[in-house]
Amino acid sequence: MTTTIRLATSNDAAGAGQSKCGMCGFKNLCLPQGLTDSEIGRLDKIIGRRRRVERDENLCRMEQPFHSLYAVRFGHFKTSRVNHSGQQQITGFQMAGELLGMDAIGNGQHACGVVALEDSEVCEIPFARLQELFAEVPQLLRHFHRIMSQEIMREQNAMLFLGNMRAEQRFATFLLNLSTRYAARGYSPSSFQLRMSREDIGDYLGLTIESISRLLSRFRASGWIAVDKRELRILDHAKMEELATGIVLAAAAPARAQIFMQAAHA
Amino acid sequence: MTTTIRLATSNDAAGAGQSKCGMCGFKNLCLPQGLTDSEIGRLDKIIGRRRRVERDENLCRMEQPFHSLYAVRFGHFKTSRVNHSGQQQITGFQMAGELLGMDAIGNGQHACGVVALEDSEVCEIPFARLQELFAEVPQLLRHFHRIMSQEIMREQNAMLFLGNMRAEQRFATFLLNLSTRYAARGYSPSSFQLRMSREDIGDYLGLTIESISRLLSRFRASGWIAVDKRELRILDHAKMEELATGIVLAAAAPARAQIFMQAAHA
DNA sequence: CGAATCTTTGAGTGCGCTCAATGTCGGTGG
DNA sequence: CCACCGACATTGAGCGCACTCAAAGATTCG
């Protein structure tokens, strides 16, 4: 590599691939979480090449053979499944520090297609080598199990809103989920960009593009959010939580609110 | 082996707990899949007590601390989550050979409640001991990862029908799913009992109890199924697949059917 | 500037929900 | 034995939320 311009993605020592995880700003959200420096070093050694993925490019397609997991280094992705009749369901949106491809382990082929929502970069993690490392770094294995389990919980949360919630509640839940995840990454929980199109949001929430558009308009008109194209600000966080949980934490229903607060802190 | 008659549930040598997995009729569907006899023996040693669970009894509740996974030995279970506003989503129905509790690994507490649909029995698998065994039996670890990944896929399938399908299509998908799973266990794929109430089915499919009842009536009136209480027979399997996939494999649309058949075999 | 894509907004419709009544079954006690 | 009860299931009537269809506006990109 002889290029001179380097973005935030750059790594020092060319080639050998040292300190990939150790220097990554998201190591506490990603696979290395809870590992010692020396263990991180061993993980570094098996991390494959970084891979740039341009906006709208497929990181992998459904039914492709599985070789590697991918950790998002920066950028955003969407994962989706299409069934025989052509119906698409977006199964999730992934951001920096999150792991992609765990659905592919079971059958040795990707169950979801993965597409970049913007120019992004992932770290390739050859699964065969990761498995070897599990034997040597038990803490890594334990954390990997936690990550997979959390992926299961994430999907179950999606089932919960797809099966039970009205459009308004789904959408508020979605916005709060983004808010929380950005906060965990040190970004503003109240002001962020929607990296995905209205259609993607709809395909995730089980709603149409028109419904998403109407929800955005209505939330804006109510003064709960501000939207300009894909720029979004949550103006009334409490109202969002009220919508998402269905619980009114206000003077109107103080008794019930207290009960909930106690439960939440228990 | 000196006994002549053995129920699926019986175990010989009292106490010590030998040959639990080795003699289990579902070992090829469960954790021991692909293990050698000696490896199964090692797995046997860590399997905790068997636990009987009566109909409507909780195997575990939401937010309980996590210690063990459970393998269903016989009987049926449902797993469900309830959110703050009291909305319930059934996340799945489990039968013999299936593993319960993987959602609890991530946070160390059960994300789902588990209730027996009939008198049932599970094998308790202390997770800490299972983790120790992973280090000694790599094949077990690999298979465990496959199981967790398949659980992720299962949840994603649920997202697909909850987000995209009409009531009729969801219900046909549900019936075919049961059919396939019973077939894999050596039972009839076309005749089985619905172990769960209409309400449970509704809470799983994101529909009301009335809708489920109407669907059953309509499917019966159309001659596609026979229902008597909870006894169900699939009379027209092809029609069920047509409904579930949205693809008509019939003379009416031969061209499209051919395309699908090719794709399915590719 | 024009073409393509994405988004917003409106009008009307229909699927599945809500509410309500009736039916069926198993259990319990007189 | 029947009467009664509670749980579960079925069926009907009417409604409303989100969908479909349609058109216009906004934005991006060549």
Side-chain angles (χ1 to χ4, degrees), chain A residues 218-234:
Chain A
R218 188 142 43 90
F219 279 25
R220 177 158 40 77
S222 303
W224 303 330
I225 62 172
V227 211
D228 178 33
K229 320 235 168 69
R230 294 194 172 181
E231 201 65 42
L232 190 135
R233 283 205 308 142
I234 298 176

Side-chain angles (χ1 to χ4, degrees), chain B residues 171 208-221:
Chain B
F171 191 59
T208 58
I209 184 173
E210 294 97 327
S211 292
I212 301 300
S213 187
R214 277 184 250 269
L215 284 163
L216 278 166
S217 300
R218 188 141 44 88
F219 279 25
R220 176 158 41 74

Side-chain angles (χ1 to χ4, degrees), chain A residues 166-167 206-208 210-211 214 229:
Chain A
R166 318 226 130 261
L207 301 168
T208 58
E210 294 97 327
S211 292
R214 276 185 250 269
K229 320 235 168 69

